[in-house]
Amino acid sequence: MITRLTFDQISTAVHDAYEACKDIKGGQNAHYIPYLANVNSDLFGISLCLPDGRLISVGDTDYRFGIESVSKVHTAILALEQHGAQAILDNIGADATGLPFNSIFAILLENDRPSTPLVNAGAIAACSLVKPHGDADGKWKAIFDNMTALLGSEPVLIDELYHSESATNFDNRSITWLLQEYGRIYDDPKMSLDLYTRQCSLGVTAEQLAISAATIADDGANPITKRRVFGAELTPKVVALMSAVGFYEHSGDWLYATGLPAKTGVGGAVIGVMPGLFGVCAFAPPLDDAGNSVKAQAALKHLMKSLNLNVFSNTHFDLVEA
Ligand SMILES: NC(=O)CC[C@H](N)C(=O)O
């Protein structure tokens, strides 16, 4: 079945989702990273980007916040581009862990594999895979440039967040050394961890993240800059990774409830990708027990329901002029 959607319908749905969810309480800011604990908990924004570059934004969509684990998607794309889909499967994996994002148990259960580039272990391994090998500055430039190409404009490193996170990331240090012991870090371990921590500390806006999600939805072509960022054959791989583990131990419940492949970060962002149709980002700092934004989840759930969208349904959606 083909259903026609207009820009106005999508715009109304975004504004309705904002209104319906703006007063939702519950959850708390990430408390284990001191910088994030102090961000204003009332911030809330939704931004949606269409493949033709039109943006629908409501609320705090130009506030710059820590990208955190949403960056795992961007660097997974870089590693996929540089090494190919098979190498990422062989060296990292694409499995759901069913466990928290920083789980050491998941590494042990998965027979030494980091599981997926979208949990901490696999994301640190992905940073170790980024070329040029052995060159910290060159690798950071590759990560930053790839992020910029996906966002359509530069992110800004939040120094305070980077220092705050570097000083307190004891679990990620343990993960890195365990992976090193298992032969699953493919460059200098300390450098790989530092690159991961730095990418998590990049400041981005909800609007930038929506553009990057729309770039994934648009088969690797950035809808704003029109630049091709990655090969179209990678979109199904990226969407599969997001679907499998985007909400960590709540990934199945999320996908079942919404039908939206999405990825969260403890900075409060959630990005969602409807291939061919749009990319979206909702942002609000308070998180649930799995580290996923309470209000952003509610807003995206509302949006998908009101537009009657689901990536698994047998309905194809065409964006039409009114
Ligand atoms: N889920 C997240 O966003 C976690 C990211 C954070 N930088 C960490 O490694 O703990």
Side-chain angles (χ1 to χ4, degrees), residues 30-39 66 68 157-173 194 197-198 200-201 266:
H31 50 273
Y32 72 103
I33 300 173
Y35 175 92
L36 296 180
N38 295 322
V39 172
E68 295 299 341
L157 186 71
I158 305 176
D159 274 316
E160 201 187 330
L161 175 56
Y162 173 50
H163 292 301
S164 174
E165 198 154 337
S166 299
T168 54
N169 62 350
F170 305 109
D171 51 353
N172 289 335
R173 293 183 215 175
D194 181 59
T197 310
R198 241 190 293 174
C200 285
S201 308
V266 292

PDB file of all heavy atoms in Angstrom, residues 30-39 66 68 157-173 194 197-198 200-201 266:
ATOM      1  N   ALA A  30      22.200  12.197  33.177  1.00  0.00           N
ATOM      2  CA  ALA A  30      23.304  11.265  33.436  1.00  0.00           C
ATOM      3  C   ALA A  30      24.094  11.819  34.614  1.00  0.00           C
ATOM      4  O   ALA A  30      24.580  12.945  34.555  1.00  0.00           O
ATOM      5  CB  ALA A  30      24.189  11.155  32.207  1.00  0.00           C
ATOM      6  N   HIS A  31      24.203  11.049  35.680  1.00  0.00           N
ATOM      7  CA  HIS A  31      24.862  11.595  36.879  1.00  0.00           C
ATOM      8  C   HIS A  31      26.315  11.143  36.967  1.00  0.00           C
ATOM      9  O   HIS A  31      27.091  11.698  37.728  1.00  0.00           O
ATOM     10  CB  HIS A  31      24.095  11.179  38.137  1.00  0.00           C
ATOM     11  CG  HIS A  31      23.824   9.719  38.186  1.00  0.00           C
ATOM     12  ND1 HIS A  31      22.701   9.160  37.602  1.00  0.00           N
ATOM     13  CD2 HIS A  31      24.552   8.696  38.671  1.00  0.00           C
ATOM     14  CE1 HIS A  31      22.751   7.838  37.757  1.00  0.00           C
ATOM     15  NE2 HIS A  31      23.861   7.539  38.390  1.00  0.00           N
ATOM     16  N   TYR A  32      26.701  10.116  36.159  1.00  0.00           N
ATOM     17  CA  TYR A  32      28.059   9.578  36.311  1.00  0.00           C
ATOM     18  C   TYR A  32      29.100  10.388  35.535  1.00  0.00           C
ATOM     19  O   TYR A  32      30.293  10.139  35.639  1.00  0.00           O
ATOM     20  CB  TYR A  32      28.088   8.096  35.901  1.00  0.00           C
ATOM     21  CG  TYR A  32      27.957   7.840  34.422  1.00  0.00           C
ATOM     22  CD1 TYR A  32      29.081   7.514  33.652  1.00  0.00           C
ATOM     23  CD2 TYR A  32      26.723   7.937  33.768  1.00  0.00           C
ATOM     24  CE1 TYR A  32      28.976   7.283  32.296  1.00  0.00           C
ATOM     25  CE2 TYR A  32      26.614   7.716  32.421  1.00  0.00           C
ATOM     26  CZ  TYR A  32      27.743   7.385  31.687  1.00  0.00           C
ATOM     27  OH  TYR A  32      27.633   7.177  30.340  1.00  0.00           O
ATOM     28  N   ILE A  33      28.625  11.354  34.720  1.00  0.00           N
ATOM     29  CA  ILE A  33      29.547  12.279  34.057  1.00  0.00           C
ATOM     30  C   ILE A  33      29.212  13.671  34.596  1.00  0.00           C
ATOM     31  O   ILE A  33      28.127  14.199  34.317  1.00  0.00           O
ATOM     32  CB  ILE A  33      29.393  12.236  32.518  1.00  0.00           C
ATOM     33  CG1 ILE A  33      29.694  10.816  31.997  1.00  0.00           C
ATOM     34  CG2 ILE A  33      30.300  13.272  31.850  1.00  0.00           C
ATOM     35  CD1 ILE A  33      29.414  10.595  30.526  1.00  0.00           C
ATOM     36  N   PRO A  34      30.102  14.243  35.432  1.00  0.00           N
ATOM     37  CA  PRO A  34      29.742  15.473  36.163  1.00  0.00           C
ATOM     38  C   PRO A  34      29.183  16.587  35.257  1.00  0.00           C
ATOM     39  O   PRO A  34      28.201  17.240  35.624  1.00  0.00           O
ATOM     40  CB  PRO A  34      31.074  15.889  36.809  1.00  0.00           C
ATOM     41  CG  PRO A  34      31.826  14.591  36.977  1.00  0.00           C
ATOM     42  CD  PRO A  34      31.433  13.723  35.817  1.00  0.00           C
ATOM     43  N   TYR A  35      29.750  16.797  34.086  1.00  0.00           N
ATOM     44  CA  TYR A  35      29.264  17.876  33.217  1.00  0.00           C
ATOM     45  C   TYR A  35      27.781  17.664  32.864  1.00  0.00           C
ATOM     46  O   TYR A  35      26.982  18.598  32.904  1.00  0.00           O
ATOM     47  CB  TYR A  35      30.103  17.928  31.927  1.00  0.00           C
ATOM     48  CG  TYR A  35      29.609  18.925  30.908  1.00  0.00           C
ATOM     49  CD1 TYR A  35      30.106  20.227  30.887  1.00  0.00           C
ATOM     50  CD2 TYR A  35      28.637  18.579  29.970  1.00  0.00           C
ATOM     51  CE1 TYR A  35      29.645  21.155  29.954  1.00  0.00           C
ATOM     52  CE2 TYR A  35      28.168  19.495  29.035  1.00  0.00           C
ATOM     53  CZ  TYR A  35      28.684  20.784  29.033  1.00  0.00           C
ATOM     54  OH  TYR A  35      28.223  21.689  28.115  1.00  0.00           O
ATOM     55  N   LEU A  36      27.429  16.440  32.529  1.00  0.00           N
ATOM     56  CA  LEU A  36      26.055  16.160  32.079  1.00  0.00           C
ATOM     57  C   LEU A  36      25.049  16.316  33.210  1.00  0.00           C
ATOM     58  O   LEU A  36      23.893  16.697  32.987  1.00  0.00           O
ATOM     59  CB  LEU A  36      25.960  14.749  31.495  1.00  0.00           C
ATOM     60  CG  LEU A  36      26.774  14.483  30.227  1.00  0.00           C
ATOM     61  CD1 LEU A  36      26.593  13.039  29.764  1.00  0.00           C
ATOM     62  CD2 LEU A  36      26.387  15.441  29.101  1.00  0.00           C
ATOM     63  N   ALA A  37      25.493  16.031  34.435  1.00  0.00           N
ATOM     64  CA  ALA A  37      24.598  16.137  35.592  1.00  0.00           C
ATOM     65  C   ALA A  37      24.100  17.571  35.760  1.00  0.00           C
ATOM     66  O   ALA A  37      22.993  17.799  36.269  1.00  0.00           O
ATOM     67  CB  ALA A  37      25.331  15.676  36.846  1.00  0.00           C
ATOM     68  N   ASN A  38      24.909  18.536  35.285  1.00  0.00           N
ATOM     69  CA  ASN A  38      24.574  19.946  35.519  1.00  0.00           C
ATOM     70  C   ASN A  38      23.880  20.651  34.353  1.00  0.00           C
ATOM     71  O   ASN A  38      23.616  21.846  34.421  1.00  0.00           O
ATOM     72  CB  ASN A  38      25.854  20.709  35.877  1.00  0.00           C
ATOM     73  CG  ASN A  38      26.418  20.211  37.194  1.00  0.00           C
ATOM     74  OD1 ASN A  38      25.665  19.901  38.107  1.00  0.00           O
ATOM     75  ND2 ASN A  38      27.736  20.094  37.274  1.00  0.00           N
ATOM     76  N   VAL A  39      23.593  19.920  33.272  1.00  0.00           N
ATOM     77  CA  VAL A  39      22.889  20.534  32.138  1.00  0.00           C
ATOM     78  C   VAL A  39      21.430  20.799  32.550  1.00  0.00           C
ATOM     79  O   VAL A  39      20.841  20.020  33.307  1.00  0.00           O
ATOM     80  CB  VAL A  39      22.951  19.596  30.895  1.00  0.00           C
ATOM     81  CG1 VAL A  39      22.063  20.098  29.770  1.00  0.00           C
ATOM     82  CG2 VAL A  39      24.396  19.438  30.416  1.00  0.00           C
ATOM     83  N   GLY A  66      26.161  17.490  24.501  1.00  0.00           N
ATOM     84  CA  GLY A  66      27.106  16.394  24.257  1.00  0.00           C
ATOM     85  C   GLY A  66      26.463  15.286  23.435  1.00  0.00           C
ATOM     86  O   GLY A  66      25.445  14.719  23.829  1.00  0.00           O
ATOM     87  N   GLU A  68      27.563  12.284  22.869  1.00  0.00           N
ATOM     88  CA  GLU A  68      27.713  10.997  23.568  1.00  0.00           C
ATOM     89  C   GLU A  68      27.535   9.810  22.599  1.00  0.00           C
ATOM     90  O   GLU A  68      28.086   9.829  21.525  1.00  0.00           O
ATOM     91  CB  GLU A  68      26.767  10.939  24.775  1.00  0.00           C
ATOM     92  CG  GLU A  68      27.120  11.974  25.845  1.00  0.00           C
ATOM     93  CD  GLU A  68      28.517  11.797  26.440  1.00  0.00           C
ATOM     94  OE1 GLU A  68      29.092  10.713  26.317  1.00  0.00           O
ATOM     95  OE2 GLU A  68      29.045  12.763  27.023  1.00  0.00           O
ATOM     96  N   LEU A 157      33.998  20.752  20.006  1.00  0.00           N
ATOM     97  CA  LEU A 157      34.398  19.971  21.180  1.00  0.00           C
ATOM     98  C   LEU A 157      34.052  20.753  22.449  1.00  0.00           C
ATOM     99  O   LEU A 157      34.427  21.924  22.583  1.00  0.00           O
ATOM    100  CB  LEU A 157      35.901  19.671  21.135  1.00  0.00           C
ATOM    101  CG  LEU A 157      36.390  18.737  22.239  1.00  0.00           C
ATOM    102  CD1 LEU A 157      35.907  17.301  22.007  1.00  0.00           C
ATOM    103  CD2 LEU A 157      37.910  18.753  22.342  1.00  0.00           C
ATOM    104  N   ILE A 158      33.323  20.115  23.375  1.00  0.00           N
ATOM    105  CA  ILE A 158      33.022  20.754  24.664  1.00  0.00           C
ATOM    106  C   ILE A 158      34.139  20.333  25.623  1.00  0.00           C
ATOM    107  O   ILE A 158      34.122  19.225  26.168  1.00  0.00           O
ATOM    108  CB  ILE A 158      31.638  20.334  25.204  1.00  0.00           C
ATOM    109  CG1 ILE A 158      30.543  20.610  24.168  1.00  0.00           C
ATOM    110  CG2 ILE A 158      31.334  21.051  26.516  1.00  0.00           C
ATOM    111  CD1 ILE A 158      29.150  20.130  24.572  1.00  0.00           C
ATOM    112  N   ASP A 159      35.134  21.221  25.802  1.00  0.00           N
ATOM    113  CA  ASP A 159      36.326  20.887  26.584  1.00  0.00           C
ATOM    114  C   ASP A 159      35.987  20.390  27.978  1.00  0.00           C
ATOM    115  O   ASP A 159      36.559  19.421  28.469  1.00  0.00           O
ATOM    116  CB  ASP A 159      37.227  22.127  26.713  1.00  0.00           C
ATOM    117  CG  ASP A 159      38.152  22.233  25.513  1.00  0.00           C
ATOM    118  OD1 ASP A 159      38.718  21.200  25.119  1.00  0.00           O
ATOM    119  OD2 ASP A 159      38.275  23.346  24.968  1.00  0.00           O
ATOM    120  N   GLU A 160      35.045  21.099  28.610  1.00  0.00           N
ATOM    121  CA  GLU A 160      34.691  20.750  29.991  1.00  0.00           C
ATOM    122  C   GLU A 160      34.131  19.324  30.064  1.00  0.00           C
ATOM    123  O   GLU A 160      34.421  18.577  30.995  1.00  0.00           O
ATOM    124  CB  GLU A 160      33.662  21.775  30.474  1.00  0.00           C
ATOM    125  CG  GLU A 160      33.567  21.870  31.963  1.00  0.00           C
ATOM    126  CD  GLU A 160      32.411  22.782  32.379  1.00  0.00           C
ATOM    127  OE1 GLU A 160      32.068  23.731  31.622  1.00  0.00           O
ATOM    128  OE2 GLU A 160      31.855  22.524  33.461  1.00  0.00           O
ATOM    129  N   LEU A 161      33.342  18.958  29.076  1.00  0.00           N
ATOM    130  CA  LEU A 161      32.771  17.613  29.028  1.00  0.00           C
ATOM    131  C   LEU A 161      33.876  16.579  28.794  1.00  0.00           C
ATOM    132  O   LEU A 161      33.921  15.530  29.449  1.00  0.00           O
ATOM    133  CB  LEU A 161      31.713  17.543  27.919  1.00  0.00           C
ATOM    134  CG  LEU A 161      31.084  16.183  27.641  1.00  0.00           C
ATOM    135  CD1 LEU A 161      30.459  15.573  28.889  1.00  0.00           C
ATOM    136  CD2 LEU A 161      30.011  16.308  26.542  1.00  0.00           C
ATOM    137  N   TYR A 162      34.769  16.901  27.874  1.00  0.00           N
ATOM    138  CA  TYR A 162      35.883  15.994  27.560  1.00  0.00           C
ATOM    139  C   TYR A 162      36.732  15.730  28.812  1.00  0.00           C
ATOM    140  O   TYR A 162      37.057  14.581  29.126  1.00  0.00           O
ATOM    141  CB  TYR A 162      36.711  16.625  26.432  1.00  0.00           C
ATOM    142  CG  TYR A 162      37.986  15.902  26.093  1.00  0.00           C
ATOM    143  CD1 TYR A 162      38.004  14.529  25.850  1.00  0.00           C
ATOM    144  CD2 TYR A 162      39.187  16.601  25.999  1.00  0.00           C
ATOM    145  CE1 TYR A 162      39.183  13.878  25.527  1.00  0.00           C
ATOM    146  CE2 TYR A 162      40.369  15.950  25.675  1.00  0.00           C
ATOM    147  CZ  TYR A 162      40.365  14.586  25.446  1.00  0.00           C
ATOM    148  OH  TYR A 162      41.527  13.943  25.140  1.00  0.00           O
ATOM    149  N   HIS A 163      37.045  16.793  29.555  1.00  0.00           N
ATOM    150  CA  HIS A 163      37.868  16.610  30.757  1.00  0.00           C
ATOM    151  C   HIS A 163      37.076  15.879  31.841  1.00  0.00           C
ATOM    152  O   HIS A 163      37.610  15.002  32.528  1.00  0.00           O
ATOM    153  CB  HIS A 163      38.394  17.963  31.255  1.00  0.00           C
ATOM    154  CG  HIS A 163      39.385  18.553  30.284  1.00  0.00           C
ATOM    155  ND1 HIS A 163      40.540  17.903  29.926  1.00  0.00           N
ATOM    156  CD2 HIS A 163      39.374  19.698  29.567  1.00  0.00           C
ATOM    157  CE1 HIS A 163      41.209  18.625  29.031  1.00  0.00           C
ATOM    158  NE2 HIS A 163      40.516  19.723  28.795  1.00  0.00           N
ATOM    159  N   SER A 164      35.822  16.233  31.961  1.00  0.00           N
ATOM    160  CA  SER A 164      34.955  15.612  32.959  1.00  0.00           C
ATOM    161  C   SER A 164      34.861  14.100  32.704  1.00  0.00           C
ATOM    162  O   SER A 164      34.995  13.278  33.614  1.00  0.00           O
ATOM    163  CB  SER A 164      33.580  16.282  32.839  1.00  0.00           C
ATOM    164  OG  SER A 164      32.623  15.700  33.634  1.00  0.00           O
ATOM    165  N   GLU A 165      34.686  13.748  31.454  1.00  0.00           N
ATOM    166  CA  GLU A 165      34.509  12.339  31.091  1.00  0.00           C
ATOM    167  C   GLU A 165      35.840  11.576  31.164  1.00  0.00           C
ATOM    168  O   GLU A 165      35.881  10.433  31.615  1.00  0.00           O
ATOM    169  CB  GLU A 165      33.915  12.270  29.679  1.00  0.00           C
ATOM    170  CG  GLU A 165      33.308  10.948  29.386  1.00  0.00           C
ATOM    171  CD  GLU A 165      32.213  10.984  28.327  1.00  0.00           C
ATOM    172  OE1 GLU A 165      31.598  12.048  28.094  1.00  0.00           O
ATOM    173  OE2 GLU A 165      31.968   9.939  27.732  1.00  0.00           O
ATOM    174  N   SER A 166      36.922  12.232  30.736  1.00  0.00           N
ATOM    175  CA  SER A 166      38.244  11.577  30.777  1.00  0.00           C
ATOM    176  C   SER A 166      38.656  11.251  32.215  1.00  0.00           C
ATOM    177  O   SER A 166      39.317  10.247  32.470  1.00  0.00           O
ATOM    178  CB  SER A 166      39.323  12.475  30.164  1.00  0.00           C
ATOM    179  OG  SER A 166      39.033  12.732  28.833  1.00  0.00           O
ATOM    180  N   ALA A 167      38.243  12.131  33.137  1.00  0.00           N
ATOM    181  CA  ALA A 167      38.659  11.949  34.535  1.00  0.00           C
ATOM    182  C   ALA A 167      37.855  10.861  35.239  1.00  0.00           C
ATOM    183  O   ALA A 167      38.247  10.379  36.300  1.00  0.00           O
ATOM    184  CB  ALA A 167      38.509  13.273  35.278  1.00  0.00           C
ATOM    185  N   THR A 168      36.712  10.468  34.669  1.00  0.00           N
ATOM    186  CA  THR A 168      35.800   9.576  35.409  1.00  0.00           C
ATOM    187  C   THR A 168      35.466   8.281  34.653  1.00  0.00           C
ATOM    188  O   THR A 168      34.622   7.509  35.112  1.00  0.00           O
ATOM    189  CB  THR A 168      34.474  10.316  35.708  1.00  0.00           C
ATOM    190  OG1 THR A 168      33.951  10.832  34.472  1.00  0.00           O
ATOM    191  CG2 THR A 168      34.680  11.472  36.666  1.00  0.00           C
ATOM    192  N   ASN A 169      36.122   8.039  33.500  1.00  0.00           N
ATOM    193  CA  ASN A 169      35.691   6.906  32.657  1.00  0.00           C
ATOM    194  C   ASN A 169      36.396   5.587  33.027  1.00  0.00           C
ATOM    195  O   ASN A 169      36.932   4.893  32.163  1.00  0.00           O
ATOM    196  CB  ASN A 169      35.912   7.227  31.166  1.00  0.00           C
ATOM    197  CG  ASN A 169      37.374   7.459  30.832  1.00  0.00           C
ATOM    198  OD1 ASN A 169      38.209   7.561  31.724  1.00  0.00           O
ATOM    199  ND2 ASN A 169      37.678   7.548  29.544  1.00  0.00           N
ATOM    200  N   PHE A 170      36.311   5.220  34.295  1.00  0.00           N
ATOM    201  CA  PHE A 170      37.011   4.014  34.767  1.00  0.00           C
ATOM    202  C   PHE A 170      36.459   2.749  34.109  1.00  0.00           C
ATOM    203  O   PHE A 170      37.200   1.812  33.813  1.00  0.00           O
ATOM    204  CB  PHE A 170      36.924   3.919  36.294  1.00  0.00           C
ATOM    205  CG  PHE A 170      37.437   5.161  36.970  1.00  0.00           C
ATOM    206  CD1 PHE A 170      36.575   6.039  37.614  1.00  0.00           C
ATOM    207  CD2 PHE A 170      38.792   5.484  36.911  1.00  0.00           C
ATOM    208  CE1 PHE A 170      37.052   7.196  38.202  1.00  0.00           C
ATOM    209  CE2 PHE A 170      39.272   6.640  37.503  1.00  0.00           C
ATOM    210  CZ  PHE A 170      38.398   7.507  38.143  1.00  0.00           C
ATOM    211  N   ASP A 171      35.133   2.709  33.877  1.00  0.00           N
ATOM    212  CA  ASP A 171      34.565   1.508  33.241  1.00  0.00           C
ATOM    213  C   ASP A 171      35.093   1.360  31.811  1.00  0.00           C
ATOM    214  O   ASP A 171      35.454   0.268  31.377  1.00  0.00           O
ATOM    215  CB  ASP A 171      33.023   1.539  33.263  1.00  0.00           C
ATOM    216  CG  ASP A 171      32.447   2.834  32.725  1.00  0.00           C
ATOM    217  OD1 ASP A 171      33.210   3.785  32.441  1.00  0.00           O
ATOM    218  OD2 ASP A 171      31.214   2.902  32.575  1.00  0.00           O
ATOM    219  N   ASN A 172      35.196   2.471  31.090  1.00  0.00           N
ATOM    220  CA  ASN A 172      35.691   2.382  29.714  1.00  0.00           C
ATOM    221  C   ASN A 172      37.173   2.003  29.663  1.00  0.00           C
ATOM    222  O   ASN A 172      37.618   1.359  28.716  1.00  0.00           O
ATOM    223  CB  ASN A 172      35.438   3.695  28.968  1.00  0.00           C
ATOM    224  CG  ASN A 172      33.960   3.882  28.667  1.00  0.00           C
ATOM    225  OD1 ASN A 172      33.210   2.904  28.586  1.00  0.00           O
ATOM    226  ND2 ASN A 172      33.537   5.129  28.507  1.00  0.00           N
ATOM    227  N   ARG A 173      37.916   2.400  30.687  1.00  0.00           N
ATOM    228  CA  ARG A 173      39.334   1.979  30.744  1.00  0.00           C
ATOM    229  C   ARG A 173      39.397   0.464  30.920  1.00  0.00           C
ATOM    230  O   ARG A 173      40.194  -0.213  30.273  1.00  0.00           O
ATOM    231  CB  ARG A 173      40.050   2.670  31.905  1.00  0.00           C
ATOM    232  CG  ARG A 173      40.185   4.161  31.697  1.00  0.00           C
ATOM    233  CD  ARG A 173      40.971   4.791  32.835  1.00  0.00           C
ATOM    234  NE  ARG A 173      40.446   6.122  33.116  1.00  0.00           N
ATOM    235  CZ  ARG A 173      40.855   6.893  34.105  1.00  0.00           C
ATOM    236  NH1 ARG A 173      41.796   6.479  34.924  1.00  0.00           N
ATOM    237  NH2 ARG A 173      40.320   8.089  34.285  1.00  0.00           N
ATOM    238  N   ASP A 194      40.922   7.388  24.094  1.00  0.00           N
ATOM    239  CA  ASP A 194      40.877   8.849  24.083  1.00  0.00           C
ATOM    240  C   ASP A 194      40.058   9.369  22.891  1.00  0.00           C
ATOM    241  O   ASP A 194      39.267  10.309  23.035  1.00  0.00           O
ATOM    242  CB  ASP A 194      42.297   9.426  24.045  1.00  0.00           C
ATOM    243  CG  ASP A 194      42.274  10.944  24.048  1.00  0.00           C
ATOM    244  OD1 ASP A 194      41.719  11.528  25.003  1.00  0.00           O
ATOM    245  OD2 ASP A 194      42.758  11.558  23.071  1.00  0.00           O
ATOM    246  N   THR A 197      36.438   8.924  23.756  1.00  0.00           N
ATOM    247  CA  THR A 197      35.974   9.889  24.766  1.00  0.00           C
ATOM    248  C   THR A 197      35.805  11.271  24.129  1.00  0.00           C
ATOM    249  O   THR A 197      34.845  11.990  24.415  1.00  0.00           O
ATOM    250  CB  THR A 197      36.986   9.959  25.932  1.00  0.00           C
ATOM    251  OG1 THR A 197      37.270   8.635  26.368  1.00  0.00           O
ATOM    252  CG2 THR A 197      36.438  10.758  27.099  1.00  0.00           C
ATOM    253  N   ARG A 198      36.740  11.607  23.242  1.00  0.00           N
ATOM    254  CA  ARG A 198      36.667  12.918  22.585  1.00  0.00           C
ATOM    255  C   ARG A 198      35.449  13.014  21.658  1.00  0.00           C
ATOM    256  O   ARG A 198      34.762  14.025  21.609  1.00  0.00           O
ATOM    257  CB  ARG A 198      37.947  13.157  21.776  1.00  0.00           C
ATOM    258  CG  ARG A 198      38.701  14.365  22.271  1.00  0.00           C
ATOM    259  CD  ARG A 198      39.817  14.760  21.366  1.00  0.00           C
ATOM    260  NE  ARG A 198      40.894  13.787  21.315  1.00  0.00           N
ATOM    261  CZ  ARG A 198      41.929  13.885  20.479  1.00  0.00           C
ATOM    262  NH1 ARG A 198      41.998  14.902  19.656  1.00  0.00           N
ATOM    263  NH2 ARG A 198      42.874  12.981  20.483  1.00  0.00           N
ATOM    264  N   CYS A 200      32.686  11.463  21.947  1.00  0.00           N
ATOM    265  CA  CYS A 200      31.481  11.563  22.783  1.00  0.00           C
ATOM    266  C   CYS A 200      31.290  12.981  23.329  1.00  0.00           C
ATOM    267  O   CYS A 200      30.178  13.374  23.684  1.00  0.00           O
ATOM    268  CB  CYS A 200      31.570  10.598  23.968  1.00  0.00           C
ATOM    269  SG  CYS A 200      31.312   8.880  23.535  1.00  0.00           S
ATOM    270  N   SER A 201      32.379  13.746  23.409  1.00  0.00           N
ATOM    271  CA  SER A 201      32.338  15.091  23.994  1.00  0.00           C
ATOM    272  C   SER A 201      32.094  16.180  22.959  1.00  0.00           C
ATOM    273  O   SER A 201      32.172  17.367  23.281  1.00  0.00           O
ATOM    274  CB  SER A 201      33.653  15.379  24.718  1.00  0.00           C
ATOM    275  OG  SER A 201      33.956  14.347  25.624  1.00  0.00           O
ATOM    276  N   VAL A 266      23.632   9.470  26.189  1.00  0.00           N
ATOM    277  CA  VAL A 266      23.335   9.939  27.543  1.00  0.00           C
ATOM    278  C   VAL A 266      23.342  11.464  27.683  1.00  0.00           C
ATOM    279  O   VAL A 266      23.002  11.997  28.734  1.00  0.00           O
ATOM    280  CB  VAL A 266      24.258   9.313  28.622  1.00  0.00           C
ATOM    281  CG1 VAL A 266      23.988   7.830  28.784  1.00  0.00           C
ATOM    282  CG2 VAL A 266      25.719   9.592  28.353  1.00  0.00           C
TER     283      VAL A 266
END
